[in-house]
Amino acid sequence: MTTASGAPPRPDVSVVVSVYNTMPYLTRCLTSLVEQTIGERRMEVIAVDDGSTDGSAEEIARFAALYPGLFTTVRQPNSGGPAAPCNRGLELAAGRYVFFLGADDHLSPEALERMVTMADDCRSDVLLCKMVPVGERTVPTGVFSRSSPAIRLVGDGLPWALSNTKLFRRSLIERHGIRYDETMPAFSDQPFVLEACVRAARISVLADKPHYFAVRRADSSNITYQAPPPVRLRCTERLFETTCRHLAPGPLRDAFHKRHFHVEIFQLFGADFPALPEDVRETVCTGAARLIGAHGDGVLERLDPGRRRTLELAWRGDIPSLCAEIARDPARTPRPPKLGRFPAVRKLMTAMLG
């Protein structure tokens, strides 16, 4: 099919899939895309392989051969994180909307069709579809309590739903030059999503049924889980920098800062913290204290007692008491680094840590 000018029609939606060693989950992911009811003429899939070594590249090639009109494929050396392949996908995207799908995850058959229809009907710049967890993955729930043509930046659960698994109006992304920070091995989707949501005229939610199935790999082998605490600290600092750049002081900014204290800062003090080298513990504690001192006023007291106690100990620099607090909490689980799975990660992390 071509337009009157002879050019192929512009797809309604470009789906960007950033891939790094995600077999066997990748097969289910790509299968869910070829099964979309929106049809091949209205969508395109841009699969960017970031130097996989587990057969993911071959699986992408197999799907591209079976569905040549649907898939655009890119293979590049490993970059150390999802930011670079996501940016590469954006460069190639032609759709009116762009949707980022995790290579571990999959969609319901009608997901893209229903999202595009709602976004068109509501004139949405950003649209969230209901996510459900598979395995031990956690997903936000509050923002998906009901479908809504328009939600607020704060008050409807959006600060707790900053993953990039959303439908974005591509003209908004391009008009403001919004891109992923390729120097962030972890959390790089959050600054991207925050800026897009701040600049959006309307953010909508499609929540009447699950459309996005978020999968936790059995070995937790992705960069967010594997990045060591000092790198997660530096990436978290970037999150605070982003909120300060795009949101004026006040309730809106505080709501996003509460999320970062509740999640990213608190997770720096998991069960693995007491076993870290002394200098690393000192670095993490000092960095967290700096963020608490700069942004915690009026926010820290709104955390639950357990998190508040942990962060107060970090702010005071009381590492022995902090380690004892962690040891008493059976809910904290370690995330030991396995950096060998990410050949470019060491270089990127070294650059971040100076």
Side-chain angles (χ1 to χ4, degrees):
M1 179 179 178
T2 59
T3 63
S5 65
R10 181 185 186 187
D12 286 327
V13 58
S14 301
V15 182
V16 175
V17 186
S18 172
V19 181
Y20 178 71
N21 284 359
T22 52
M23 291 295 289
Y25 307 96
L26 179 62
T27 301
R28 183 70 188 91
C29 171
L30 299 182
T31 299
S32 77
L33 291 175
V34 301
E35 292 176 345
Q36 289 298 301
T37 59
I38 197 171
E40 291 188 27
R41 290 184 300 176
R42 296 180 58 195
M43 64 178 287
E44 65 175 356
V45 177
I46 303 169
V48 183
D49 178 70
D50 200 45
S52 295
T53 58
D54 71 337
S56 292
E58 290 77 9
E59 186 70 341
I60 293 171
R62 184 174 75 87
F63 272 83
L66 290 171
Y67 305 94
L70 179 61
F71 282 84
T72 297
T73 64
V74 178
R75 182 165 170 78
Q76 63 186 30
N78 182 257
S79 65
C86 284
N87 282 340
R88 181 63 176 142
L90 273 175
E91 292 171 4
L92 298 172
R96 295 189 296 117
Y97 299 100
V98 60
F99 186 86
F100 297 93
L101 175 62
D104 309 327
D105 307 332
H106 54 273
L107 298 174
S108 67
E110 71 276 19
L112 292 176
E113 183 176 20
R114 295 198 66 213
M115 280 190 279
V116 168
T117 297
M118 184 174 184
D120 282 345
D121 290 345
C122 297
R123 301 189 302 279
S124 314
D125 285 325
V126 179
L127 185 142
L128 294 71
C129 68
K130 186 169 186 176
M131 303 175 68
V132 293
V134 178
E136 297 182 4
R137 180 83 170 263
T138 58
V139 299
T141 56
V143 73
F144 299 121
S145 61
R146 62 184 177 88
S147 293
S148 176
I151 65 169
R152 299 165 292 176
L153 275 177
V154 170
D156 297 308
L158 183 62
W160 304 94
L162 292 180
S163 70
N164 64 348
T165 52
K166 298 169 175 60
L167 189 76
F168 299 91
R169 187 175 298 277
R170 196 169 64 84
S171 61
L172 174 82
I173 301 300
E174 295 305 322
R175 181 165 65 251
H176 296 287
I178 306 173
R179 290 295 187 268
Y180 293 82
D181 184 344
E182 297 185 18
T183 69
M184 294 177 67
F187 313 144
S188 61
D189 55 344
Q190 293 192 40
F192 179 94
V193 173
L194 176 63
E195 182 175 358
C197 288
V198 168
R199 297 189 182 281
R202 177 165 294 184
I203 305 168
S204 304
V205 177
L206 176 62
D208 61 333
K209 62 170 66 174
H211 283 309
Y212 192 106
F213 298 88
V215 179
R216 171 75 175 268
R217 299 188 212 177
D219 61 356
S220 299
S221 56
N222 61 52
I223 184 60
T224 298
Y225 288 101
Q226 302 304 327
V231 171
R232 283 187 275 126
L233 170 65
R234 290 297 181 89
C235 291
T236 301
E237 290 172 345
R238 301 280 182 84
L239 301 183
F240 282 93
E241 291 169 5
T242 300
T243 55
C244 291
R245 184 165 60 251
H246 293 292
L247 296 170
L252 288 182
R253 183 191 287 183
D254 287 350
F256 285 90
H257 284 178
K258 179 184 176 183
R259 175 247 157 78
H260 296 321
F261 283 123
H262 182 97
V263 180
E264 287 83 16
I265 295 291
F266 178 73
Q267 287 179 351
L268 292 170
F269 303 102
D272 52 339
F273 180 81
L276 294 173
E278 183 177 355
D279 62 326
V280 175
R281 286 184 300 178
E282 182 68 30
T283 295
V284 171
C285 198
T286 300
R290 185 168 58 249
L291 292 173
I292 293 167
H295 308 293
D297 188 30
V299 178
L300 210 61
E301 56 264 33
R302 293 163 55 194
L303 301 179
D304 64 84
R307 281 176 167 79
R308 186 169 64 248
R309 186 165 54 250
T310 291
L311 298 191
E312 286 173 346
L313 290 171
W315 181 68
R316 294 204 298 264
D318 189 348
I319 293 179
S321 297
L322 183 56
C323 290
E325 173 79 12
I326 292 169
R328 287 193 294 267
D329 184 358
R332 304 197 204 203
T333 55
R335 296 190 287 184
K338 302 175 183 177
L339 301 184
R341 295 181 60 88
F342 298 90
V345 166
R346 290 188 183 277
K347 181 178 180 181
L348 192 54
M349 291 180 175
T350 300
M352 280 203 79
L353 296 173

